[in-house]
Amino acid sequence: MQDIQKKGAREHLLVCPIEHIPNVHSLNYDDHIDLLRHMEEVGYKILNKIDPNAEKRLGFHVPPFYSIDHLHLHIVMGP
């Protein structure tokens, strides 16, 4: 899904899991490592389809610096 606040990025998308996880503090290594790896893989796959050579950044907002009560990975491609 596209993030409505691009803020200078060429692309700014979100990868959201189906399972409801409120935020990064709710993650548990044993239960969620496969999900996090999958989210990262999906993010890179999407950005590489757009431009394999562009700078890419992936990351989560950590409470209290987030506005959606559902875990989502930001995937950002530089300008």
Side-chain angles (χ1 to χ4, degrees):
M1 116 181 27
Q2 195 145 37
D3 193 322
I4 59 172
Q5 296 185 24
K6 276 188 168 181
K7 295 194 180 182
R10 190 165 83 184
E11 294 292 337
H12 187 165
L13 307 167
L14 304 175
V15 177
C16 303
I18 294 170
E19 174 187 355
H20 178 66
I21 301 169
N23 58 57
V24 294
H25 293 306
S26 303
L27 294 170
N28 168 314
Y29 182 87
D30 292 332
D31 294 337
H32 297 110
I33 188 65
D34 291 336
L35 172 65
L36 294 173
R37 286 183 177 146
H38 178 68
M39 291 173 71
E40 178 185 46
E41 180 183 323
V42 168
Y44 278 119
K45 190 179 287 187
I46 291 168
L47 292 179
N48 282 329
K49 279 185 178 182
I50 298 168
D51 185 346
N53 300 314
E55 176 188 353
K56 300 162 187 75
R57 291 188 219 157
L58 282 71
F60 296 98
H61 286 279
V62 177
F65 304 104
Y66 70 107
S67 59
I68 299 172
D69 190 29
H70 188 89
L71 186 72
H72 56 283
L73 176 65
H74 291 259
I75 58 172
V76 180
M77 180 179 290

